């Protein structure tokens, strides 16, 4: 088997494969690369030593069976016998479901999660979006401090388990999306700097030195990250990738890293003959991100829309701290603006940032399916002091309203695991750092952050306490009990409606018409012949829809038909979906 590694500053490079040590030689055709051959097969342990230093894992390791600090292992992707005949599932018309592998089940493994995929197929979602799976020290964590960007966290089950999970999902008709982190690597178990300039001090990030996307040596760093992205899509048959915090990718080159990545993904999709897509997390509100490359954009296929979430959250809860400040003054007006324009901040002043922010979407050119809309996600739940979900403070009726607004919106809807049954479990920030100093620093930093918001230290869960992760695991007995069962039935009904009525999956933002009353706390919007009316107030309210002949498609509480004036009386904290006849 041929082994190779990029280490441009090394003067000597050795390969330790099994029990044999081999001296590698420079590749005359590729500056900085070292190559050699050794006897190996699937599972063979190996590592590299730079200038006779300690044994280190392969920067492009496909498997780390003993964790990030142990030796790498050879993975023969051709050994797995795929069962599902899968032609792919694209993003238009999709409904995504964000899932954390370590807490979706109490076992916290890919195989255990695969056994729960029937629930998602019955729910009606189209894609499972997995939070990061790359290796990190310890067993439990969110995954955003991963290292070895080509490998699968061993406690989750490793490479074979991910293939079994994807195979099972595809058998059920579910696409699979993976969250990948290109903007930083974890502080522990990261051995890349020993090999070459994977990081640069030219830019700085909240995590320290930036990933080197534009300094000397960046060609190979970019190739490594793009290679890992294509490996997930090709070798594991994934359908898409979610790109973490792309606003933290510092790149001054003429061809941005995201443009290069999107081009490579589109080329692979053409080669494989099935749709592949990229979804970015970005707080820039820059339409160029999701504009096709042919129109001088970066060509990313979609992005998370936090503005829609923030407007919806403030309308439901009345919260006004932090970034919610910009939305809290008139939350229904903010919600109406996002439903019709995608972004709330489209060049407007942001008090939270102390400056103007964003740029308008061209509604005639940008399809709304390129924006993901959600009421909850891992960030918006887990980054709260106690990881409390909306279900901890809102009535089932208001949760039903939130679901209606997300699942009938023009955006691609995304749910966060357990949301569909109003899970009573929190989802808290937890870690399992093996470095005591790092563990203590994270603990103190978390408590210091929330102390500034008035939280006492003892009220903020200790991320390193195993009980914090245990509390965050879904309780799978809940969906069968009240009030969870009713909420679950409502989500299923709304997703089925979205699939059955083309007006609800129409991504034309120009066709969305919204009316609202900020004081009375109601909002209604039109999508073709379908009307959605939401009453967030506690008392019944009369909502003028302008139609006197309508058929109820779905309602949280019983409602009479519209009166002769075309107005609908909606009970307090309730919602209705109806169609003109």
């Amino acid at each position: 088997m041929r082994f190779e590694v990029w280490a441009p500053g090394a003067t000597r490079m050795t390969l330790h494969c099994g029990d044999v040590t081999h001296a590698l030689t420079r590749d005359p055709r590729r500056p900085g690369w070292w190559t050699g051959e050794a006897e190996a097969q699937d599972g063979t342990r190996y590592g590299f030593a730079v200038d006779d230093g300690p044994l280190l894992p392969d920067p492009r390791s496909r498997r780390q069976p003993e964790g990030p600090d142990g030796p790498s292992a050879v993975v023969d992707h051709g050994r797995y016998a795929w069962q599902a005949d899968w032609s792919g599932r694209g993003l238009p018309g999709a409904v995504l479901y964000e899932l954390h592998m370590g807490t979706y089940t109490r076992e916290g493994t890919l195989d255990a999660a695969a056994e729960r995929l029937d629930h998602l197929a019955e729910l009606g979602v189209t894609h499972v979006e997995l939070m990061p799976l790359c290796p990190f020290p310890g067993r439990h964590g969110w995954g955003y401090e991963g290292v070895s960007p080509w490998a699968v966290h061993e406690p989750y089950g490793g490479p074979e388990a991910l293939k079994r999970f994807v195979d099972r999902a595809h058998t059920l008709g579910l696409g699979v999306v993976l969250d990948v982190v290109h903007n930083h690597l974890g502080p522990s178990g990261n051995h890349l700097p020993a090999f070459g300039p994977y990081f640069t001090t030219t830019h700085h990030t909240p995590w320290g030195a930036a990933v080197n996307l534009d300094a000397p040596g960046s060609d190979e760093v970019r190739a490594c990250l793009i290679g890992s992205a294509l490996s997930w899509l090709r070798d594991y048959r994934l359908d898409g990738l979610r790109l973490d915090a792309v606003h933290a990718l510092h790149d001054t080159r003429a061809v941005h890293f995201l443009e290069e990545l999107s081009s490579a993904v589109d080329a692979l999709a053409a080669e494989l003959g099935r749709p592949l897509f990229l979804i970015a997390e970005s707080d820039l509100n820059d339409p160029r991100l999701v504009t096709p490359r042919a129109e001088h954009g970066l060509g990313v296929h979609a992005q998370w829309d936090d503005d829609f979430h923030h407007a919806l959250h403030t309308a439901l809860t009345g919260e006004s701290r932090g970034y919610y400040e910009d939305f809290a003054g008139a939350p229904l007006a903010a919600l109406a603006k996002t439903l019709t324009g995608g972004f709330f901040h489209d060049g407007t002043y942001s008090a939270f940032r102390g400056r103007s922010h964003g740029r308008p979407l061209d509604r005639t050119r940008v399809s709304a399916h390129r924006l993901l809309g959600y009421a909850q996600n891992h960030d918006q739940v887990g980054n709260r002091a106690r990881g409390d979900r909306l279900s901890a403070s809102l009535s089932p009726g208001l949760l039903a309203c939130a679901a209606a607004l997300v699942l009938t919106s023009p955006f691609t809807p995304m749910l966060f695991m357990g949301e569909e049954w109003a899970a009573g479990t929190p989802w808290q920030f937890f870690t399992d750092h093996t470095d005591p100093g790092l563990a203590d620093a994270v603990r103190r930093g978390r408590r210091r952050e929330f102390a500034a918001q008035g939280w006492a230290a003892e009220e903020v869960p200790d991320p390193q306490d195993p009980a914090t992760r245990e509390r965050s695991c879904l309780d799978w007995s809940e969906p069968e009990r009240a009030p969870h069962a009713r909420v679950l039935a409502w989500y299923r009904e709304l997703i089925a409606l979205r699939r059955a009525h083309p007006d609800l999956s129409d991504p034309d933002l120009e066709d969305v018409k919204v009316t609202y009353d900020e004081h009375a706390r109601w909002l209604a919007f039109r999508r073709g012949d379908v009307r959605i009316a939401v009453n967030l107030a506690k008392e019944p309210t009369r909502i003028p829809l302008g139609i006197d002949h309508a058929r109820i498609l779905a309602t949280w509480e019983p409602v009479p038909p519209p009166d002769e004036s075309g107005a609908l009386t909606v009970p307090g904290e309730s919602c209705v979906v109806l169609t003109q006849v």
Side-chain angles (χ1 to χ4, degrees):
M1 182 173 290
R2 185 176 185 83
F3 291 83
E4 57 183 21
V5 62
W6 180 63
T11 58
R12 173 176 164 80
M13 180 65 62
T14 51
L15 164 70
H16 299 255
C17 187
D19 297 324
V20 182
T21 299
H22 305 264
L24 300 184
T25 59
R26 294 183 184 275
D27 187 333
R29 297 168 300 174
R30 295 186 297 165
W33 282 88
W34 299 76
T35 65
E37 293 185 354
E39 291 294 328
Q41 59 184 353
D42 185 82
T44 298
R45 309 292 174 91
Y46 73 98
F48 298 109
V50 181
D51 294 333
D52 299 319
L55 184 67
L56 299 175
D58 184 352
R60 290 164 173 76
S61 171
R62 271 62 168 183
R63 186 181 178 196
Q64 289 299 118
E66 298 174 29
D69 294 315
S72 300
V74 172
V75 173
D76 179 1
H77 285 298
R79 293 179 69 250
Y80 185 82
W82 292 93
Q83 301 299 309
D85 183 14
W86 184 248
S87 57
R89 193 160 193 173
L91 193 60
V95 179
L96 276 67
Y97 185 96
E98 190 185 23
L99 180 159
H100 176 259
M101 193 55 60
T103 50
Y104 186 62
T105 66
R106 197 158 293 278
E107 296 89 341
T109 65
L110 285 151
D111 286 332
E115 294 298 315
R116 293 287 185 181
L117 287 176
D118 286 337
H119 166 79
L120 300 184
E122 293 167 4
L123 177 62
V125 300
T126 62
H127 293 76
V128 184
E129 182 177 304
L130 305 178
M131 289 176 61
L133 297 180
C134 290
F136 54 87
R139 177 175 179 82
H140 297 299
W142 281 19
Y144 292 95
E145 294 184 336
V147 294
S148 298
W150 298 62
V152 180
H153 190 48
E154 204 69 20
Y156 290 159
E160 291 288 299
L162 177 55
K163 291 173 184 175
R164 291 191 294 269
F165 179 92
V166 173
D167 223 356
R168 175 64 177 157
H170 286 172
T171 299
L172 294 170
L174 297 167
V176 183
V177 181
L178 177 64
D179 194 339
V180 296
V181 184
H182 292 152
N183 55 67
H184 74 288
L185 276 78
S188 181
N190 176 14
H191 300 286
L192 295 185
F195 289 89
Y198 282 89
F199 300 88
T200 174
T201 56
T202 303
H203 311 288
H204 294 277
T205 75
W207 308 282
V211 173
N212 179 14
L213 299 177
D214 58 5
S218 58
D219 284 357
E220 294 293 354
V221 178
R222 292 161 73 111
C224 176
L225 296 177
I226 291 171
S228 71
L230 299 182
S231 175
W232 294 117
L233 298 169
R234 179 185 57 247
D235 299 328
Y236 293 94
R237 298 195 178 184
L238 299 181
D239 300 277
L241 300 174
R242 184 259 191 189
L243 310 176
D244 181 61
V246 299
H247 48 269
L249 295 172
H250 297 283
D251 183 7
T252 60
R253 291 173 58 161
V255 178
H256 194 278
F257 170 75
L258 291 175
E259 182 180 351
E260 189 176 347
L261 174 61
S262 69
S263 178
V265 168
D266 288 348
L268 181 61
E271 175 190 331
L272 298 178
R274 59 183 175 90
L276 303 171
F277 54 85
L278 299 171
I279 301 171
E281 178 198 16
S282 172
D283 73 354
L284 299 178
N285 284 19
D286 185 351
R288 289 173 291 190
L289 178 65
V290 294
T291 298
R293 296 185 306 279
E295 300 175 24
H296 308 293
L298 296 181
V300 175
H301 306 93
Q303 72 157 85
W304 282 21
D305 188 352
D306 273 352
D307 279 14
F308 173 73
H309 168 271
H310 297 348
L312 178 56
H313 187 91
T314 54
L316 292 167
T317 68
E319 290 186 30
S320 59
R321 287 181 173 178
Y323 43 66
Y324 293 132
E325 175 186 2
D326 291 333
F327 302 82
L332 292 182
L335 190 55
K337 183 176 181 180
T338 60
L339 284 168
T340 55
F343 296 148
F344 175 74
H345 284 305
D346 53 6
T348 58
Y349 183 77
S350 167
F352 170 69
R353 296 176 176 87
R355 59 171 175 81
S356 298
H357 185 67
R359 182 175 185 164
L361 281 170
D362 183 345
R363 299 191 301 165
T364 65
R365 298 172 63 192
V366 178
S367 170
H369 88 268
R370 296 186 182 277
L371 301 177
L372 267 63
Y374 37 86
Q376 301 179 77
N377 62 40
H378 79 270
D379 273 330
Q380 304 302 337
V381 176
N383 282 329
R384 297 172 67 82
R386 302 188 69 177
D388 51 308
R389 299 170 179 264
L390 288 177
S391 54
S393 57
L394 299 184
S395 67
L398 286 179
L399 296 176
C401 292
L405 288 164
V406 169
L407 290 167
T408 64
S409 78
F411 312 123
T412 296
M414 185 180 73
L415 312 179
F416 180 58
M417 62 175 198
E419 169 190 339
E420 72 275 20
W421 73 69
T425 51
W427 201 73
Q428 299 176 333
F429 180 70
F430 53 88
T431 57
D432 187 23
H433 292 301
T434 54
D435 179 344
L438 179 58
D440 188 57
V442 170
R443 181 187 299 112
R444 288 186 287 105
R446 182 84 174 170
R447 289 173 174 171
R448 183 169 55 250
E449 173 188 356
F450 288 105
Q453 301 177 22
W455 291 87
E458 63 273 12
E459 295 179 301
V460 180
D462 179 358
Q464 284 287 119
D465 185 346
T468 304
R469 179 260 171 183
E470 289 292 322
R471 283 190 297 269
S472 301
C473 293
L474 290 178
D475 178 354
W476 282 93
S477 70
E478 287 185 337
E480 302 172 0
R481 308 196 308 262
H484 308 287
R486 183 185 178 195
V487 175
L488 177 57
W490 177 246
Y491 271 81
R492 286 174 175 164
E493 185 176 10
L494 289 173
I495 294 173
L497 274 182
R498 187 177 182 91
R499 184 169 57 246
H501 291 267
D503 284 340
L504 291 179
S505 55
D506 180 1
D508 185 359
L509 284 169
E510 288 195 303
D511 195 45
V512 181
K513 311 299 180 185
V514 184
T515 58
Y516 62 92
D517 187 318
E518 201 79 62
H519 177 73
R521 287 181 52 73
W522 63 259
L523 180 143
F525 62 104
R526 174 179 177 177
R527 306 200 56 210
D529 289 334
V530 178
R531 307 291 204 280
I532 300 92
V534 174
N535 178 17
L536 304 182
K538 291 184 178 296
E539 301 301 324
T541 193
R542 189 167 173 270
I543 302 178
L545 296 179
I547 55 172
D548 53 6
H549 294 88
R551 177 167 59 92
I552 303 296
L553 299 177
T555 182
W556 178 251
E557 298 288 358
V559 296
D563 61 24
E564 294 181 355
S565 69
L568 186 73
T569 299
V570 180
E573 298 185 348
S574 187
C575 49
V576 59
V577 183
L578 60 165
T579 186
Q580 186 173 357
V581 295

